[in-house]
Amino acid sequence: MSNKNINRLFEALTPKIEQKEKMLHNILVPSKVENKKNRGYTLAKRLRPAVLTALLIVCLATTAFAAAYIGLDETFMKFLNPVNQEQETYLSNGAYMVDKQVKNNNGTLNIKQVIGDSNLTYILMDFTAPEGTVLDAARYRFLGYDITTNQDYMSVGFDVLDDGNWSDNKISLVMSIMTKNSIAGQNVHFQLKDLQAADPFPGIFTTVIPGAWETDFKLDFKAYSTPYEVNKSISMFGYGAVLKTISVSPISISLKIESSSMNEINEAAGSLKEVGVNQHLDDYPITIKYQDGTSETTSLFNGLHLTENGTQFFTVKTFENVINDKEIASIVFFDKEIPIKK
């Protein structure tokens, strides 16, 4: 914060500081009845610089904290497309501003903001190539990535956002990271290598800008998820299983299932069935029923399936836009409908 802004902040706080000082003085002065006449006043006078400094430090710390959660970037907001103003505020309050720049001769990576829930993390970033380079391909990604978290497995993807100019040397990307557990609050070492571009699917990715961009930062977002303990028996393709938990947020819904027949269930589901250009059926769909009577089903697979130890199955469901999680009445998974209580 500049000296000019600090002075303005100090001037704005002065009346409140003087009010606090007066209150402190009123508490201290009566002690002179039992002690020496000027002791209370002298103590208050000596405390003035300390009180001013302490209050200013608190205010500056609060200002820095507020800046970290200042709200969603406009491009990020368009990508999420919240359903109403209430959800926009909710999403903004959970976003964390990273604001890290990494430069080399081949370009600048600006890591801007991060949001997430218990299983999905979105990182907003801009990449700026050297002057004269045009980044106008349909798809972009980084060939290599290294993100040090406490998770054994993660799924990573990239979405290109509309930044208002498709023919300049800058692109905006959202990096999605799906994990079995939340990575909120973790300090991560972050490295991306070799920017690649491709035409629309089935176009092949090729490296257009080589290099590595590396830094460290904290994933200090506020996780949106609300977990629900279920522990209900279900039937999956004729095999018994137990739906253990459901976790719900505006950006994803995740489920944990246990079954001694998990291998048989996966065999019955079969491989993903292609039904369109880069589109596959979801073999483990969920249906969301809303309070107004409408519903939506994850008929296409967009997310993560993970089987562990032959007995545990974990799936994350993502959606084209954020979902109205506050209006969900129930979630249907195979033969079981689970009420979502608010």
Side-chain angles (χ1 to χ4, degrees), residues 33-313:
V33 174
E34 298 178 2
N35 300 297
K36 292 184 179 180
K37 183 175 181 180
N38 292 325
R39 181 174 296 172
Y41 175 77
T42 303
L43 180 58
K45 186 175 181 180
R46 288 177 178 173
L47 277 176
R48 179 182 173 88
V51 171
L52 294 176
T53 302
L55 287 175
L56 184 57
I57 289 173
V58 169
C59 291
L60 290 175
T62 303
T63 302
F65 179 80
Y69 297 95
I70 201 167
L72 282 175
D73 181 277
E74 183 180 353
T75 305
F76 213 174
M77 189 69 76
K78 289 179 180 178
F79 168 74
L80 295 168
N81 192 21
V83 296
N84 52 37
Q85 182 62 47
E86 180 183 1
Q87 190 175 66
E88 180 176 330
T89 301
Y90 179 65
L91 292 170
S92 296
N93 289 340
Y96 180 70
M97 184 168 292
V98 179
D99 196 22
K100 282 261 188 172
Q101 280 195 353
V102 188
K103 298 182 180 180
N104 62 32
N105 292 333
N106 293 335
T108 300
L109 182 69
N110 182 14
I111 303 169
K112 301 175 74 174
Q113 287 185 316
V114 56
I115 67 169
D117 60 18
S118 59
N119 307 107
L120 173 61
T121 302
Y122 283 139
I123 301 176
L124 175 67
M125 60 187 73
D126 289 341
F127 182 84
T128 305
E131 289 292 335
T133 304
V134 177
L135 300 177
D136 59 355
R139 296 184 293 156
Y140 284 95
R141 73 178 186 186
F142 285 93
L143 174 62
Y145 59 86
D146 182 22
I147 309 166
T148 57
T149 71
N150 62 1
Q151 300 295 295
D152 295 329
Y153 178 85
M154 65 177 63
S155 174
V156 172
F158 293 90
D159 289 288
V160 183
L161 308 188
D162 183 2
D163 63 359
N165 191 340
W166 289 100
S167 59
D168 61 2
N169 63 330
K170 190 185 82 170
I171 54 172
S172 293
L173 300 169
V174 165
M175 182 180 187
S176 59
I177 305 171
M178 293 187 212
T179 53
K180 187 177 179 181
N181 299 294
S182 176
I183 54 177
Q186 293 189 31
N187 292 298
V188 297
H189 181 73
F190 187 84
Q191 183 186 71
L192 297 178
K193 292 182 179 180
D194 299 338
L195 182 70
Q196 294 195 316
D199 292 329
F201 186 85
I204 305 300
F205 278 100
T206 58
T207 298
V208 291
I209 298 181
W213 293 265
E214 187 173 2
T215 187
D216 296 277
F217 58 90
K218 190 172 185 178
L219 298 171
D220 210 9
F221 59 91
K222 301 175 183 177
Y224 300 128
S225 295
T226 301
Y228 297 91
E229 292 286 338
V230 180
N231 294 316
K232 298 288 185 181
S233 297
I234 58 175
S235 177
M236 300 175 67
F237 304 106
Y239 296 94
V242 176
L243 177 56
K244 301 293 290 183
T245 63
I246 296 177
S247 184
V248 178
S249 90
I251 61 175
S252 80
I253 292 178
S254 61
L255 301 89
K256 293 182 180 179
I257 299 101
E258 290 184 358
S259 174
S260 58
S261 304
M262 206 64 243
N263 290 333
E264 291 81 359
I265 291 172
N266 286 332
E267 288 179 7
S271 58
L272 291 174
K273 302 173 183 64
E274 188 171 0
V275 293
V277 178
N278 202 28
Q279 292 182 333
H280 298 81
L281 288 180
D282 188 354
D283 294 325
Y284 303 93
I286 65 170
T287 297
I288 303 170
K289 292 186 176 181
Y290 294 102
Q291 295 175 7
D292 63 2
T294 60
S295 65
E296 61 177 311
T297 300
T298 60
S299 56
L300 297 178
F301 175 65
N302 290 297
L304 169 70
H305 293 337
L306 180 62
T307 300
E308 294 181 307
N309 304 320
T311 60
Q312 297 176 329
F313 180 73

